[in-house]
Amino acid sequence: EGESHVIMSRNAKITVTGEPPVVGGFTDVKKTDWFCDAVEYVVEQGLFSGVSDTSFAPNDPITRGMLVTALWRAAGEPPRSSDVSFFDIDPFEWYGEAVRWAASEGIADGYGNGFFGTDDRVTREQMATILYRYAQNKGYNVSAKADLNKFTDVGKISSYALEALQWANAEGLINGKGDSVLDPKGQATRAQTATVLYRTLANL
């Protein structure tokens, strides 16, 4: 059911019942959603687009190709610094140059067997690692480190992602999910990724 919205006039208070307004024509992103500002930012900056004209799909998982393409666009679509190729990458697809740029800059590596895994889903610790390497590449200050022992699942963090998550948590980019849980292996959604990108790019 729709929420009630209150409109104040000089002499009266009128209550209007209806759905909260949507963001950018996306019927699945409302002005009352916690990720509203982030979605507005990534769309306005050209980092993300919807899955259709009317859907952003905030709860869908983010893929490796989507994430590195957003960062490549945020960086100004720079050329790759070295020639990189993968068996599973079509250089003429929307993600092609972004993936090769990210790999050439050490921001997102392949799997070591000639594959990048463009359509593979990104976990929260993988997202932190890619963002951490992007921040380093852009010369941001990445010295902040949080004590992750406050989370009950700290032991589930992969060794390669520990430093990145310490930084991301200290900067407020990736927070706990309640009940002292960080959920490093949990899948990152499009809404979560948009929010982390918003916090990273708009504030660093």
Side-chain angles (χ1 to χ4, degrees), residues 41 71 74-75 131-144 167 171 173 197 199-204:
Y41 175 82
L71 292 174
L131 285 169
Y132 181 63
R133 293 173 179 173
Y134 175 84
Q136 289 178 314
N137 180 268
K138 300 302 292 182
Y140 295 150
N141 183 353
V142 294
S143 61
W167 165 77
E171 293 288 356
L173 306 178
L197 288 174
R199 291 171 178 168
T200 303
L201 302 174
N203 298 303
L204 289 179

Side-chain angles (χ1 to χ4, degrees), residues 130-196:
I130 291 172
L131 285 169
Y132 181 63
R133 293 173 179 173
Y134 175 84
Q136 289 178 314
N137 180 268
K138 300 302 292 182
Y140 295 150
N141 183 353
V142 294
S143 61
K145 296 289 184 291
D147 181 3
L148 300 183
N149 287 315
K150 58 190 175 185
F151 297 109
T152 57
D153 55 352
V154 63
K156 295 181 180 179
I157 299 173
S158 299
S159 58
Y160 76 84
L162 179 59
E163 192 172 80
L165 274 171
Q166 288 174 326
W167 165 77
N169 185 249
E171 293 288 356
L173 306 178
I174 296 179
N175 300 314
K177 300 178 67 174
D179 297 324
S180 299
V181 172
L182 187 60
D183 193 21
K185 298 291 195 296
Q187 291 181 354
T189 66
R190 284 168 56 86
Q192 291 170 349
T193 305
T195 301
V196 171

